């Protein structure tokens, strides 16, 4: 099936996966709104693809109290918006065997960036997507292979992505019984060659941007999954973790959800 949406908002599109997916959307002939903190990157993207196809908005998703206003402005300017991809994320190493080296302010910033902001963005945009009864809409999130299998080097990153993964599972189930027709998407990248691992972010790494799957290869595989209409897209090495145990764990989640739903019904007044 084609990627059949009227207009797409990509949050966290100034570089890496978000920017690569934005390029695919534009090349598909779909108008896109790209957001992020770095105005110069957004402007360069709009210049490359044309202001008739690309709109930009500078926004820092860590400013949690500004998210409702951000969503209201986006919706007011783009009432035909029917696809939202939340891609923002940062990764930092923390070694709790050396607690004096752990920067708890950065720890909290990573939690806000990778998890809390995504939840608040979902809350802010879901009412708009629910009003569109005539066709399916999409609310997508980029998590990580590390949402399924943690990495010792970056314990907070894996924990934030795991939290978002669990939230997505529950959100998908909740929205199935609500108004509208919202598909909830989860994209599971492996390590990908982006600035996520750059020395400026993780100083102990040399040539960190060369770690992982080439961005072009990742983007092609992720885009194919989007066009096939999948709601869960593990890419590269993430497919192995997903196939080996995540599918079975989700069966357990569905079983528990049915059991608890029946139990709660008995106790509702």
């Amino acid at each position: 099936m084609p990627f059949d949406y009227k207009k797409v908002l990509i949050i966290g599109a100034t570089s890496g996966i978000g920017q690569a997916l934005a390029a695919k959307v534009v090349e598909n002939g779909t108008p896109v709104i790209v957001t992020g903190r770095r105005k110069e990157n957004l402007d360069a993207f709009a210049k490359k693809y044309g202001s008739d196809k690309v709109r930009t908005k500078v926004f820092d998703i860590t400013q949690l109290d500004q998210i409702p206003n951000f969503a209201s402005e986006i919706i007011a300017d783009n009432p035909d918006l029917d696809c939202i991809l939340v891609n923002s994320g940062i990764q930092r190493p923390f070694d709790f065997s050396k607690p004096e080296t752990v920067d708890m302010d950065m720890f909290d910033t990573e939690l806000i960036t990778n998890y809390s902001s995504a939840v608040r963005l979902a809350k802010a945009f879901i009412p708009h997507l629910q009003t569109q009864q005539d066709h399916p809409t999409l609310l997508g999130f980029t998590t990580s292979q590390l949402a399924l299998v943690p990495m010792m080097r970056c314990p907070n990153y894996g924990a934030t992505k795991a939290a978002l993964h669990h939230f997505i599972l529950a959100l998908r189930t909740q929205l199935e019984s609500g108004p509208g027709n919202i598909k909830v998407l989860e994209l599971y990248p492996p390590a990908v060659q982006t600035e996520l691992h750059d020395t400026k972010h993780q100083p102990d790494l040399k040539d960190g941007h060369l770690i992982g799957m080439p961005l072009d290869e990742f983007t092609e595989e992720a885009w194919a999954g989007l066009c096939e209409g999948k709601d869960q897209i593990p890419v590269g090495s993430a497919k192995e973790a997903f196939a080996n145990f995540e599918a079975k764990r989700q069966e357990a989640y569905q079983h528990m959800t049915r059991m608890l739903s029946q139990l709660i019904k008995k106790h509702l007044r």
Side-chain angles (χ1 to χ4, degrees):
M1 63 178 289
F3 185 78
D4 191 22
Y5 295 97
K6 298 176 182 178
K7 186 173 287 184
V8 179
L9 168 65
I10 301 184
I11 301 169
T14 57
S15 66
I17 289 172
Q19 189 176 87
L21 289 175
K24 279 292 186 183
V25 170
V26 174
E27 291 163 4
N28 184 66
T30 305
V32 66
I33 310 150
V34 289
T35 74
R37 292 180 294 106
R38 290 173 288 183
K39 183 178 186 300
E40 65 277 11
N41 292 26
L42 299 176
D43 289 346
F45 187 85
K47 182 177 180 181
K48 179 178 180 180
Y49 289 101
S51 58
D52 58 324
K53 301 175 182 177
V54 178
R55 294 185 182 183
T56 67
K57 189 172 183 64
V58 177
F59 186 66
D60 181 354
I61 48 94
T62 66
Q63 303 300 310
L64 298 180
D65 61 331
Q66 296 300 312
I67 286 177
N69 186 59
F70 163 74
S72 295
E73 290 178 354
I74 290 287
I75 292 165
D77 292 339
N78 305 276
D80 55 344
L81 176 67
D82 59 355
C83 177
I84 300 163
L85 302 177
V86 181
N87 179 72
S88 302
I90 61 173
Q91 184 185 97
R92 301 292 187 268
F94 296 100
D95 186 352
F96 281 83
S97 73
K98 302 173 182 176
E100 70 280 1
T101 69
V102 175
D103 181 343
M104 290 306 299
D105 289 337
M106 179 53 66
F107 187 96
D108 290 342
T109 297
E110 187 174 48
L111 174 63
I112 290 168
T113 303
N114 295 356
Y115 178 64
S116 301
S117 66
V119 173
R120 291 185 182 233
L121 286 162
K123 180 180 184 296
F125 280 104
I126 283 171
H128 168 71
L129 297 178
Q130 286 178 323
T131 64
Q132 302 188 49
Q133 306 281 345
D134 58 331
H135 71 288
T137 57
L138 177 67
L139 177 59
F141 303 87
T142 300
T143 60
S144 171
Q145 176 176 317
L146 299 183
L148 309 179
V149 182
M151 179 172 65
M152 179 187 70
R153 171 186 168 79
C154 301
N156 193 41
Y157 182 83
T160 61
K161 293 297 187 177
L164 183 56
H165 170 57
H166 283 211
F167 172 76
I168 291 166
L169 289 177
L171 178 66
R172 184 181 292 119
T173 306
Q174 290 179 353
L175 292 181
E176 286 174 355
S177 60
N181 185 6
I182 306 173
K183 177 192 291 289
V184 178
L185 166 75
E186 183 170 3
L187 176 61
Y188 306 81
V192 180
Q193 293 177 8
T194 70
E195 66 175 43
L196 188 75
H197 313 113
D198 272 1
T199 302
K200 64 181 178 181
H201 301 310
Q202 303 193 49
D204 57 328
L205 292 180
K206 180 181 179 181
D207 296 326
H209 63 286
L210 299 179
I211 293 174
M213 186 178 192
L215 180 59
D216 288 349
E217 291 182 18
F218 166 81
T219 306
E220 289 299 326
E221 190 171 333
W223 181 250
L226 280 165
C227 291
E228 290 170 16
K230 295 180 178 179
D231 60 7
Q232 300 195 75
I233 308 175
V235 178
S237 59
K239 290 186 288 190
E240 181 178 356
F242 193 91
N244 283 347
F245 63 84
E246 178 59 26
K248 187 171 183 179
R249 183 167 69 170
Q250 290 191 28
E251 289 179 10
Y253 162 73
Q254 296 294 343
H255 173 74
M256 184 176 70
T257 299
R258 290 191 296 270
M259 182 179 64
L260 290 176
S261 295
Q262 293 170 1
L263 180 63
I264 290 170
K265 285 180 180 178
K266 292 181 180 180
H267 294 273
L268 287 176
R269 293 184 178 181

